[in-house]
Amino acid sequence: MHSRSFSLPRIACALALGAICHLSHALSPESPSGGTIPAKRTMDYPWMTVATWDRMHAEDVLIAEHDQVDVLFVGDSITAGWDWQLWEKHFKPLNAANFGIGGDGTANVLWRLQHGAIGQLQPKLIVLLIGVNNFALYNETPEQVAASVTAVVTQLQLAWPNSKILLNGVLPFKEKADATERAKVKKVNAIIAKLGDDKRIFFKNYGAPLLQKDGSISTEIMADFLHPTPKGYQVWADAMLPDIKHLLQ
């Protein structure tokens, strides 16, 4: 039943985000208080209306109330946009659900978790990737982004104290290795890596396999230098699946 969470409209919204991701800096922040304060989506975007966001969240709430899920993916467009063939092959057999929504920052994820997305679920493993949108949405520094990601991890622990959390490092974005954004991502990951205790929280940075030898990002891996292509998702899946399967044992 929870395949409903991985609908084609959800994938389309995630992919459409890539076309205008660079415009997000010109938009007003959705959460003036930053990424640690839960906030509902309030702005219509060309690629997703508030009504669509509400519908996607409502789908997740239904899953949370009525389905059994072993692996719960939580995040933004990068999570929402998993290539469906890879999802069907690798994650559907693991009884996984996808609670990614394009354009979300940590404040949006916190709000969703506190408004129905926890429900009756008892996942064995939570796969979390969040934080990259905080730079544009909330104009946060790396230290603030790390604090916001920490807030989401804390919420997940409160909701599911017996679940393991596979905390993904924020993936690299922008084409060149010397881009300012790359340095910011490294700072965020250096901080949130300390959340990993290898008991309940397992930090993994899967960014390196997505990079070329010179540290740049190929359009074959991320066409817009932010969102993985199907090939990029395959690289990410190859790197992450062994850890997921190990944590499920």
Side-chain angles (χ1 to χ4, degrees), residues 51-235:
T52 298
W53 188 89
D54 286 342
R55 176 185 58 76
M56 295 169 77
H57 173 60
E59 291 176 354
D60 293 345
V61 170
L62 283 174
I63 291 168
E65 285 295 330
H66 302 291
D67 287 6
Q68 179 182 345
V69 173
D70 290 328
V71 182
L72 180 64
F73 282 71
V74 178
D76 50 35
S77 60
I78 298 175
T79 294
W82 269 99
D83 177 75
W84 73 269
Q85 291 180 316
L86 291 176
W87 182 273
E88 291 289 307
K89 178 181 179 180
H90 296 302
F91 302 120
K92 186 176 180 180
L94 300 178
N95 199 28
N98 189 332
F99 281 17
I101 297 183
D104 268 8
T106 55
N108 304 128
V109 171
L110 287 169
W111 190 94
R112 291 198 278 125
L113 290 169
Q114 295 181 10
H115 291 79
I118 294 172
Q120 305 300 315
L121 292 178
Q122 293 297 328
K124 297 177 181 177
L125 176 65
I126 302 160
V127 180
L128 175 65
L129 174 63
I130 195 65
V132 69
N133 289 329
N134 284 40
F135 291 115
L137 288 178
Y138 318 136
N139 297 315
E140 290 189 333
T141 65
E143 292 77 12
Q144 290 171 322
V145 174
S148 297
V149 173
T150 299
V152 174
V153 172
T154 299
Q155 178 66 71
L156 294 173
Q157 287 182 295
L158 289 171
W160 296 296
N162 296 320
S163 301
K164 295 177 182 178
I165 300 173
L166 178 56
L167 173 59
N168 278 241
V170 177
L171 296 179
F173 69 107
K174 295 294 184 180
E175 180 181 8
K176 301 299 183 181
D178 60 357
T180 301
E181 290 82 359
R182 294 287 198 94
K184 291 180 179 180
V185 166
K186 288 181 180 178
K187 286 184 179 180
V188 171
N189 289 339
I191 297 172
I192 65 174
K194 298 174 183 178
L195 296 174
D197 59 11
D198 291 333
K199 296 178 181 178
R200 289 294 175 186
I201 304 173
F202 302 82
F203 175 83
K204 297 289 183 178
N205 187 351
Y206 299 109
L210 298 169
L211 302 176
Q212 300 190 94
K213 290 183 178 180
D214 63 357
S216 64
I217 296 175
S218 166
T219 54
E220 292 184 355
I221 298 298
M222 294 181 181
D224 62 355
F225 307 118
L226 175 61
H227 299 86
T229 60
K231 183 176 180 179
Y233 277 110
Q234 181 67 70
V235 172

Side-chain angles (χ1 to χ4, degrees), residues 6 10-11 13 17 22-23 27-28 48 73 91 109 130 135 228 240 247:
F6 196 63
R10 174 158 296 198
I11 301 171
C13 287
L17 174 61
H22 300 298
L23 299 179
L27 300 174
S28 300
M48 186 189 295
F73 282 71
F91 302 120
V109 171
I130 195 65
F135 291 115
M240 185 166 57
L247 292 173

Side-chain angles (χ1 to χ4, degrees), residues 27-60:
L27 300 174
S28 300
E30 284 205 13
S31 177
S33 300
T36 61
I37 306 299
K40 184 181 182 296
R41 182 74 65 84
T42 58
M43 293 178 61
D44 285 331
Y45 296 106
W47 45 272
M48 186 189 295
T49 63
V50 172
T52 298
W53 188 89
D54 286 342
R55 176 185 58 76
M56 295 169 77
H57 173 60
E59 291 176 354
D60 293 345

